[in-house]
């Protein structure tokens, strides 16, 4: 099979949260520069793989190909709004072979269970944006393994990813981006 490259994208608070206690994205994690960066990256991707809640919350005006994780799907189903996939029923390797027979780049924008699943599958890169100086109380962490003693960076490192240099997306905050890559140091 042709190569499939999985890229994860998250904006997190200083305490590694992607959402607040109610499961919604708080204002402190909304940033125009990060949004623009993320959408430029989507333009380079062949498919976006995301959880059902994210799919329902984010319209898809450009009609980008989506693969939606849901327990409501039986294996892999083509619906009008994309491919619906239940990883319990069909392994990733088989599902993506159907969705991208020629291979290509896969964008993964979460949420947490989706980020967790692809840690096990293997990211080629994880684009970790941090809204520096922000704290989300009792929020949803980017990975289940994050806690006060285990930062997102430690989780990425434990899965064989290595950081590139820190880049400022927005001097306000600042909001910074570090791309973690599988096994090498370049950003
Ligand atoms: N800051 C960030 O970068 C970032 C990134 C992502 C999301 N968020 C925020 O986080 C919130 C949404 O995240 P979320 O975690 O609640 O929602 P989500 O991941 O978008 O969707 C959750 C749903 O996806 C399905 N799903 C996920 N993993 C699955 C698996 N392994 N097997 C089967 N189904 C699976 C389930 O659907 P069914 O119920 O149909 O089974 C689950 O209820 C939103 O506020 C969003 O904006 C922030």
């Amino acid at each position: 099979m042709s190569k499939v490259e999985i890229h994860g994208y998250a904006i997190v608070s200083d305490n590694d949260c992607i959402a607040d206690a109610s499961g919604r994205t708080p204002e402190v994690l909304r940033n125009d520069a990060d949004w623009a960066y993320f959408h430029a990256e989507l333009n380079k991707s062949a498919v976006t793989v995301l959880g059902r809640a994210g799919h329902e919350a984010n319209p898809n005006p450009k009609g980008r190909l989506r693969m939606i994780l849901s327990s409501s799907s039986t294996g892999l189903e083509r619906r009008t709004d994309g491919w619906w996939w239940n990883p319990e029923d069909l392994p990733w390797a088989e599902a993506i072979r159907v969705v991208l027979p020629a291979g290509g780049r896969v964008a993964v924008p979460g949420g947490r269970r989706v980020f967790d699943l692809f840690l096990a599958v293997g990211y080629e890169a994880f684009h970790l944006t941090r809204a520096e100086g922000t704290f989300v109380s009792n929020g949803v962490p980017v990975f289940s393994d994050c806690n006060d003693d285990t930062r997102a960076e430690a989780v990425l490192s434990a899965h064989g990813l290595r950081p590139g240099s820190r880049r400022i997306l927005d001097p306000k905050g600042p909001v910074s981006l570090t791309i973690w890559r599988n096994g090498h140091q370049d950003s």
Side-chain angles (χ1 to χ4, degrees):
M1 179 190 173
S2 303
K3 192 168 183 324
V4 167
E5 276 195 6
I6 302 166
H7 288 243
Y9 298 89
I11 179 167
V12 302
S13 59
D14 272 349
N15 60 329
D16 298 324
C17 288
I18 57 168
D20 65 17
S22 69
R24 293 195 202 91
T25 304
E27 275 310 308
V28 292
L29 296 182
R30 293 188 192 278
N31 178 269
D32 289 345
D34 175 65
W35 192 245
Y37 175 79
F38 172 56
H39 279 265
E41 289 289 306
L42 288 185
N43 290 339
K44 301 178 192 168
S45 306
V47 64
T48 308
V49 182
L50 74 176
R52 178 187 53 79
H55 170 65
E56 289 172 353
N58 292 285
N60 186 13
K62 296 206 169 158
R64 291 187 173 101
L65 182 63
R66 283 185 173 179
M67 197 170 167
I68 300 117
L69 278 87
S70 174
S71 57
S72 76
S73 172
T74 313
L76 184 70
E77 294 168 31
R78 188 68 165 114
R79 300 185 191 170
T80 52
D81 54 353
W83 290 96
W84 285 65
W85 173 47
N86 184 351
E88 288 272 303
D89 290 352
L90 189 74
W92 166 250
E94 286 178 41
I96 196 62
R97 202 176 296 137
V98 175
V99 174
L100 292 184
R105 189 157 156 172
V106 173
V108 176
R112 191 199 66 219
R113 285 175 61 201
V114 184
F115 286 138
D116 281 347
L117 184 123
F118 283 101
L119 274 177
V121 172
Y123 289 105
E124 175 67 22
F126 197 95
H127 304 239
L128 185 68
T129 300
R130 195 173 290 278
E132 297 185 18
T134 66
F135 182 87
V136 178
S137 190
N138 299 315
V140 179
V142 56
F143 304 118
S144 297
D145 284 347
C146 291
N147 56 51
D148 286 348
D149 298 320
T150 310
R151 309 265 42 120
E153 286 83 351
V155 175
L156 291 167
S157 184
H159 286 82
L161 291 128
R162 300 288 169 260
S165 50
R166 171 176 167 272
R167 162 178 159 196
I168 301 297
L169 291 181
D170 187 342
K172 249 194 290 164
V175 174
S176 64
L177 167 71
T178 302
I179 303 175
W180 288 71
R181 290 190 188 272
N182 188 4
H184 57 87
Q185 293 276 339
D186 296 335
S187 65

